[in-house]
C-alpha cells in the first residue's frame, strides 16, 4: 500500500514538472527551449508518451528552424519506443512529415513502411491515411514517397470504399508527379505498375494511361527512371505473369530500429563525455598561478623570484 502511494506521488510530481517544462518550450531564450526539449525527451515513458508527443507535434509548427530537425527526430523515436498501438505511431509519423517534411530523414519514413509491411491489420488503415494526406492541395515530397509506396502495395485493400477505385488512386498519385524530383519518380512508376497489376478485371483505359507514361519515360535522361519505365512496360506485356513478378513485397526481417540505435548511441556518447569530464575534474590540476605567499615552514625559495612565487592549484573537486 505504501509503495503504491509512493508511485502515485512520484507520478504527480512528474506531471507537475512536465507542465512546467512544456511551458518552457515557449521561453524567449533558445537555450531554455533546448533544455526543455531534452528534459521532456528524458522523462518520457509509457505513461506520458502520448501527452508529450502531442505537445511536441503542436510545438513543431512554431518551433525555430534550428530546432525542428532535432524535435522531429525525438518525436519519431518516442512515438516508436512508447507507441500504445501501431495506428497511433503511423498517425504521428504522418503528422511529422506533413508539418516538417524538410527535416524528416529517410530513416523515419523507411521505418513506417517496415511496420506497415510487417503488420497486415495496419495496411488498410495506413493506405487510407496516406490517401487523405495526398488529397491536400500542398503535399511535401516525402509524403508523396511514403504514400506512393503504401498505395502501390495496399490500395487494392480499399477498392470497395468510395473514391478508392484503382483509377481514382492512380489519379491522386499522378497529380503529384509534376511537383516531385527525379528521386521520387521511380517510386511513382513502381506504384503505377502495382496498381495496374492489382486491377482485376483489367481496366483498358487505365492501362492505356499508365502505358503511355512508361513510354514517355523510356527515353528519360535519368538512368534509374529510364530503366524502370522500360522494365515495367515490358512486364505489362506478360499478362498473367505480371502477378507473380510484381507480387507484394515480403515481410522485412525483424531488426532493431536504426532510430532507436541512434538514440542509444547518442545517450551512451553523452554519458561517456560526462564521465570523462568528471574524471578530469577529480584529477589535480597542473595549472600555475602567481601568489605572494611566503614558502611553507619558513623555508627559503631555492630560486629567487622576487616578491611573487608560483604555487600549484588543486582541483575544484577534492576529497579530505
Amino acid at each position: 500500500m505504501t509503495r503504491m502511494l509512493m508511485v502515485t506521488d512520484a507520478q504527480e510530481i512528474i506531471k507537475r514538472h512536465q507542465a512546467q517544462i512544456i511551458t518552457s518550450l515557449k521561453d524567449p531564450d533558445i537555450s531554455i527551449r533546448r533544455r526543455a526539449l531534452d528534459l521532456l525527451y528524458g522523462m518520457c515513458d509509457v505513461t506520458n508518451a502520448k501527452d508529450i508527443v502531442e505537445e511536441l507535434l503542436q510545438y513543431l509548427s512554431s518551433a525555430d528552424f534550428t530546432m525542428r530537425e532535432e524535435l522531429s527526430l525525438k518525436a519519431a523515436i518516442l512515438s516508436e519506443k512508447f507507441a500504445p498501438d501501431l495506428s497511433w505511431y503511423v498517425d504521428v509519423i504522418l503528422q511529422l512529415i506533413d508539418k516538417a517534411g524538410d527535416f524528416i530523414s529517410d530513416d523515419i519514413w523507411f521505418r513506417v513502411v517496415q511496420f506497415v509491411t510487417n503488420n497486415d491489420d495496419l495496411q488498410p488503415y495506413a493506405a487510407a491515411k496516406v490517401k487523405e494526406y495526398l488529397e491536400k492541395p500542398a503535399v511535401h515530397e516525402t509524403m508523396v514517397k511514403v504514400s506512393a509506396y503504401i498505395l502501390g502495395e495496399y490500395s487494392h485493400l480499399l477498392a470497395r470504399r468510395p473514391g478508392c477505385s484503382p483509377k481514382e488512386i492512380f489519379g491522386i498519385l499522378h497529380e503529384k508527379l509534376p511537383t516531385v524530383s527525379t528521386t521520387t519518380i521511380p517510386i511513382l512508376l513502381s506504384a503505377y505498375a502495382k496498381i495496374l497489376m492489382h486491377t482485376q478485371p483489367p481496366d483498358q483505359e487505365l492501362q492505356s494511361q499508365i502505358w503511355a507514361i512508361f513510354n514517355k519515360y523510356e527515353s528519360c535522361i535519368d538512368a534509374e527512371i529510364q530503366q524502370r519505365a522500360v522494365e515495367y512496360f515490358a512486364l505489362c506485356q506478360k499478362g498473367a505473369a505480371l502477378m507473380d513478378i510484381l507480387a507484394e513485397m515480403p515481410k522485412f526481417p525483424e531488426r532493431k530500429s536504426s532510430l532507436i540505435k541512434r538514440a542509444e548511441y547518442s545517450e551512451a556518447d553523452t554519458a561517456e563525455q560526462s564521465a570523462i569530464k568528471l574524471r578530469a575534474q577529480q584529477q589535480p590540476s597542473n595549472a600555475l598561478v602567481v601568489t605572494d605567499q611566503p614558502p611553507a615552514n619558513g623555508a627559503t625559495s631555492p630560486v629567487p623570484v622576487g616578491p611573487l612565487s608560483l604555487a600549484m592549484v588543486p582541483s575544484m573537486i577534492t576529497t579530505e
Side-chain angles (χ1 to χ4, degrees):
M1 184 68 178
T2 304
R3 185 174 181 179
M4 291 178 63
L5 290 174
M6 291 175 64
V7 170
T8 303
D9 291 342
Q11 290 175 342
E12 289 300 323
I13 293 172
I14 290 175
K15 286 182 180 179
R16 185 167 62 250
H17 287 296
Q18 179 179 316
Q20 294 173 345
I21 295 170
I22 288 172
T23 303
S24 298
L25 285 173
K26 301 172 184 177
D27 194 276
D29 189 337
I30 190 171
S31 63
I32 293 177
R33 296 199 297 273
R34 287 187 180 278
R35 184 57 180 158
L37 176 60
D38 290 338
L39 288 172
L40 281 176
Y41 178 77
M43 69 193 297
C44 189
D45 58 28
V46 291
T47 63
N48 58 11
K50 289 187 74 171
D51 292 336
I52 288 179
V53 171
E54 291 298 328
E55 288 291 342
L56 295 180
L57 286 172
Q58 291 182 18
Y59 175 58
L60 188 59
S61 300
S62 58
D64 295 313
F65 281 94
T66 55
M67 290 182 62
R68 289 193 181 187
E69 183 174 1
E70 181 185 4
L71 182 59
S72 301
L73 179 61
K74 280 181 163 58
I77 291 172
L78 293 178
S79 63
E80 179 179 344
K81 201 171 182 179
F82 302 113
D85 56 76
L86 290 177
S87 59
W88 178 80
Y89 168 73
V90 170
D91 287 341
V92 169
I93 300 302
L94 293 181
Q95 287 184 65
L96 283 175
I97 296 173
D98 185 50
K99 293 182 176 183
D102 289 337
F103 305 95
I104 301 299
S105 66
D106 286 344
D107 286 343
I108 294 176
W109 79 264
F110 288 170
R111 190 61 175 163
V112 177
V113 166
Q114 290 175 16
F115 274 117
V116 173
T117 302
N118 289 4
N119 294 272
D120 295 343
D121 295 340
L122 190 61
Q123 292 163 5
Y125 179 82
K129 292 299 292 185
V130 295
K131 176 182 175 291
E132 290 178 13
Y133 278 100
L134 277 187
E135 290 173 333
K136 291 185 174 184
V139 181
H140 193 274
E141 187 166 347
T142 302
M143 183 67 77
V144 177
K145 290 179 181 178
V146 67
S147 301
Y149 188 98
I150 292 175
L151 289 175
E153 293 288 347
Y154 309 115
S155 62
H156 63 283
L157 302 176
L158 310 178
R160 295 186 179 181
R161 302 187 187 186
C164 295
S165 68
K167 189 179 294 185
E168 289 168 313
I169 295 293
F170 165 75
I172 293 171
L173 282 172
H174 193 53
E175 284 179 358
K176 309 303 176 186
L177 189 141
T179 67
V180 300
S181 65
T182 54
T183 59
T184 304
I185 292 176
I187 304 176
L188 285 170
L189 296 182
S190 298
Y192 299 165
K194 293 271 188 174
I195 291 171
L196 192 59
M197 182 263 294
H198 284 301
T199 305
Q200 299 298 330
D203 184 321
Q204 294 301 321
E205 183 181 352
L206 178 61
Q207 178 178 282
S208 298
Q209 286 180 289
I210 293 177
W211 284 11
I213 295 168
F214 292 158
N215 280 326
K216 173 185 175 182
Y217 285 103
E218 280 182 334
S219 57
C220 180
I221 193 171
D222 186 277
E224 173 72 10
I225 297 174
Q226 183 187 86
Q227 181 178 348
R228 293 211 188 191
V230 170
E231 291 178 351
Y232 288 146
F233 184 75
L235 289 174
C236 289
Q237 315 300 317
K238 295 186 177 294
L242 183 67
M243 297 287 291
D244 296 327
I245 298 171
L246 293 180
E248 185 177 306
M249 287 291 291
K251 307 293 184 189
F252 288 91
E254 291 296 333
R255 63 181 62 155
K256 196 166 189 178
S257 166
S258 60
L259 294 177
I260 301 293
K261 286 195 290 187
R262 189 192 305 181
E264 290 175 350
Y265 177 81
S266 176
E267 291 167 2
D269 185 59
T270 301
E272 178 64 21
Q273 292 298 323
S274 299
I276 291 172
K277 289 179 181 178
L278 181 60
R279 287 196 296 269
Q281 289 174 343
Q282 290 174 339
Q283 293 174 355
S285 172
N286 292 325
L288 298 175
V289 297
V290 179
T291 176
D292 58 356
Q293 296 297 323
N297 300 325
T300 59
S301 173
V303 181
V305 291
L308 301 178
S309 61
L310 299 177
M312 296 290 291
V313 178
S315 168
M316 295 301 292
I317 299 179
T318 59
T319 54
E320 289 293 328

